[in-house]
Amino acid sequence: MVSTAKLKPGDRVRAIRELTGLNQREFAEALGVDITLLKNIEYKRNRVTESFYEIIGRTFPEMLPWFVYEGPLTLDSLRNSKSSLCKVAAARIDAGFIPAGFFSEDIFKDGNQ
């Protein structure tokens, strides 16, 4: 299990991927990146580049503050997102599919962080 304190960027990439329910190949395709790059970031062999931050921001705009600095993330923002993948994440949270170890227990309660 990953500690929720001071997650590495690779851990946050994996958390977002698991929250969407996609495997690495599907997630890489959704982001438009090579699967090898995604794996290397998740396994912390590569650093997250500025262009990768931009890709995350375009694909998951409501998750960007959390991805960059573990900033605020609300269930309501995911539900109301224009991003279909953010809406998928919201639906999975509503169904109780929250990946263990990445998010504090109360982060998604009642739309609050």
Side-chain angles (χ1 to χ4, degrees), residues 37 41 60-62 66 72 77 86 97:
L37 173 64
I41 288 172
F60 300 96
E62 287 71 27
W66 181 83
S77 69
C86 283
F97 296 112

Side-chain angles (χ1 to χ4, degrees), residues 2-20 27 31 38 41-44 48 52-53 56 60 63-71 73 99 101-103 107:
V2 178
S3 168
T4 58
K6 299 180 183 177
L7 292 173
K8 302 277 187 198
D11 295 325
R12 292 193 294 270
V13 170
R14 181 176 169 203
I16 292 172
R17 178 179 61 77
E18 289 186 8
L19 192 58
T20 62
F27 195 68
L31 296 177
L38 177 65
I41 288 172
E42 283 194 11
Y43 300 141
K44 299 173 204 81
V48 175
F52 196 86
Y53 279 103
I56 292 291
F60 300 96
M63 291 187 183
L64 188 59
W66 181 83
F67 180 68
V68 173
Y69 60 93
E70 294 183 50
L73 176 61
F102 295 111
F103 302 98
I107 192 169

Side-chain angles (χ1 to χ4, degrees), residues 28-60:
E29 289 174 5
L31 296 177
V33 301
D34 185 79
I35 189 168
T36 304
L37 173 64
L38 177 65
K39 286 181 178 183
N40 285 337
I41 288 172
E42 283 194 11
Y43 300 141
K44 299 173 204 81
R45 291 187 289 241
N46 281 24
R47 291 180 178 245
V48 175
T49 63
E50 185 175 327
S51 63
F52 196 86
Y53 279 103
E54 290 175 16
I55 291 167
I56 292 291
R58 280 194 310 271
T59 310
F60 300 96

